[in-house]
Amino acid sequence: MPRVVHFEVYADDMDRASKFYGDVFGWSVTKIELDGGAAYWLIDTGEEPAEGINGGMMPRPTPEAINTVVLDVSSVDEYVEKITEGGGTVLVPKFAVPGVGYAAYFNDTEGNPFGIFEDNNEAA
């Protein structure tokens, strides 16, 4: 059964948002460079074995973009089909996160965005 394994926060000012989450919740935020020159900020929300998930932060893609959760799935291709057959709509088609896996983003039947992610270290 797919579970929430990641969340994403959109921000207009990465430094301001990083400071907010660090000061308020004690989270650490680390900027990484992705292939192609894009940046992503990893959010560490705590230490094991405490329950919870970690996340990421990125520049807000559109003014109306809202934070989202990401579900771990066995196959992005399989779940794209299940999601669309169930009435969901594709926001961002399947794409590779090189060396990490594959992802895609959707709206559910109520217009709520969410993502799915398939671990695959051979993704290119």
Side-chain angles (χ1 to χ4, degrees), residues 6 8 14-15 18 28-44 55-59 97-100:
H6 187 76
E8 290 182 330
M14 307 314 282
D15 292 331
S18 295
S28 65
V29 180
T30 306
K31 181 180 179 181
I32 62 169
E33 299 292 327
L34 302 174
D35 288 346
Y40 192 78
W41 287 255
L42 296 173
I43 300 173
D44 185 343
M57 186 169 35
M58 68 181 85
V97 180
V100 181

Side-chain angles (χ1 to χ4, degrees), residues 10 21 36 71 78 82 88 98 104 107-108 118:
Y10 297 126
Y21 286 106
L71 305 169
E78 176 185 338
K82 286 183 175 187
N107 271 342
D108 67 13
E118 170 191 339

Side-chain angles (χ1 to χ4, degrees), residues 74-94:
S74 56
S75 166
V76 166
D77 293 330
E78 176 185 338
Y79 276 86
V80 166
E81 188 173 320
K82 286 183 175 187
I83 291 164
T84 55
E85 286 177 359
T89 57
V90 176
L91 292 174
V92 178
K94 178 182 174 182

Side-chain angles (χ1 to χ4, degrees), residues 3-19:
R3 299 201 52 192
V4 175
V5 295
H6 187 76
F7 65 88
E8 290 182 330
V9 173
Y10 297 126
D12 297 315
D13 182 319
M14 307 314 282
D15 292 331
R16 180 179 64 209
S18 295
K19 181 175 177 3

